[in-house]
Amino acid sequence: MKQYIPFIRKDPVVPVIRLQGVIATGPRAGLSDSGLASVIEKAFSRGKPAAVALAINSPGGSPVQSSLIAARIRRLADEKGIKVHAFVEDVAASGGYWLACAGDEIWVDDSSILGSIGVIFASFGFHEFMARNGIERRVHTAGRSKSLADPFLPEKAEDVERLKSLQEPIHRAFIDHVKRRRGARLDNAADLFNADIWVGAEAVKLGLADGVGHLVPKLKELYGEKVRLVPYGVRRPLLQRLGAGLLRDALSEIEDRSLWARYGL
């Protein structure tokens, strides 16, 4: 009740925003800027938080949504002068690490996986299967690049070069974000931007994180034993919780699991 009584010293409050899952937009269950907007705004705006914590467990996903979410967190943190602590659980890789870098400090478990600072495009090639089974592919386009990387046609060298040219500015934006947020803490002698991953204390040694520490004890250490941790997270829509859209959710789950599986999870 102390928070409602004036002139009494209140215990420090730290909202904890849970960022768990694949980063994506649309109907898939995941992390997106639009889905998290109100959660993030409330965490920074209700009362006078001593800090905001991010509990991160994400294998990545959309670079644009990663950028938008991180930018929203940083904008509010800078406007209100609130420190942000990021706590990595199993993994903060690719877009997940992009989110972690929104924190002023990044804390990890000894077994947390971090990094994968890179960009990927993955597809399949079905043209030989179609040829063996007498299936003819008919494509008519206006614009020579409209069938770029069509999985039903043989791969073209010019398509590969074009895809690489599209990936390069996204990779550069990711690198710039990490350098801007981590600054002099990064080990400049290490090759950190080749999409490699590191574990726990190794990531700390390279400057990708600040130390090994878990959310509750670390926040108590920083803000006192009486700190109040207030959870914030995205609630799934009622129909989704009741099982509506099972086929769509199953397909999304298969795709999401493939991302998690890259890190042995």
Side-chain angles (χ1 to χ4, degrees):
M1 293 295 292
K2 285 192 292 185
Q3 64 267 31
Y4 301 110
I5 303 174
F7 312 119
I8 293 182
R9 184 178 178 84
K10 302 174 179 64
D11 296 333
V13 174
V14 177
V16 179
I17 304 173
R18 174 153 291 280
L19 301 174
Q20 176 161 328
V22 173
I23 304 165
T25 189
R28 289 172 54 188
L31 302 173
S32 69
D33 182 56
S34 60
L36 285 165
S38 62
V39 172
I40 296 171
E41 297 280 346
K42 289 175 184 176
F44 278 93
S45 302
R46 286 187 173 174
K48 295 181 179 179
V52 168
L54 310 175
I56 298 173
N57 204 358
S58 174
S62 163
V64 173
Q65 293 302 311
S66 303
S67 177
L68 290 173
I69 295 166
R72 183 181 296 277
I73 292 169
R74 287 313 318 161
R75 183 169 62 251
L76 289 166
D78 293 339
E79 285 176 2
K80 297 177 181 295
I82 296 174
K83 192 168 186 176
V84 178
H85 301 276
F87 292 87
V88 178
E89 296 180 351
D90 297 280
V91 59
S94 195
Y97 186 65
W98 196 313
L99 297 184
C101 285
D104 297 294
E105 295 176 341
I106 300 175
W107 304 95
V108 299
D109 180 81
D110 282 316
S111 300
S112 296
I113 295 173
L114 282 78
S116 189
I117 304 169
V119 182
I120 186 172
F121 172 85
S123 183
F124 297 92
F126 297 104
H127 62 285
E128 292 184 359
F129 171 83
M130 294 170 66
R132 285 198 302 268
N133 289 275
I135 303 171
E136 180 183 0
R137 171 73 162 160
R138 297 174 181 174
V139 180
H140 308 281
T141 69
R144 62 184 176 85
S145 296
K146 197 64 179 177
S147 61
L148 177 70
D150 189 323
F152 299 103
L153 296 174
E155 188 171 65
K156 302 176 185 176
E158 57 266 33
D159 283 358
V160 175
E161 287 304 310
R162 177 59 178 149
L163 287 171
K164 288 182 178 179
S165 72
L166 294 173
Q167 291 175 324
E168 179 58 32
I170 301 173
H171 192 200
R172 174 49 54 188
F174 195 173
I175 293 171
D176 290 345
H177 172 66
V178 174
K179 287 184 174 180
R180 185 167 58 250
R181 295 297 307 149
R182 300 299 300 167
R185 289 174 286 187
L186 294 173
D187 182 350
N188 291 323
D191 184 5
L192 302 176
F193 307 117
N194 65 357
D196 206 348
I197 56 175
W198 293 271
V199 177
E202 186 181 11
V204 175
K205 182 179 178 181
L206 293 170
L208 295 170
D210 295 285
V212 174
H214 294 171
L215 191 148
V216 173
K218 177 55 68 173
L219 292 177
K220 284 187 174 183
E221 174 190 326
L222 294 172
Y223 299 101
E225 286 293 324
K226 293 186 177 181
V227 64
R228 291 198 306 116
L229 307 181
V230 182
Y232 285 81
V234 178
R235 286 180 58 82
R236 296 173 66 195
L238 177 61
L239 290 178
Q240 194 176 82
R241 296 201 303 270
L242 293 176
L246 289 178
L247 177 59
R248 184 195 66 204
D249 291 345
L251 293 173
S252 294
E253 178 67 16
I254 292 170
E255 187 174 356
D256 291 355
R257 290 307 308 167
S258 69
L259 279 173
W260 287 104
R262 293 175 60 199
Y263 306 103
L265 300 169

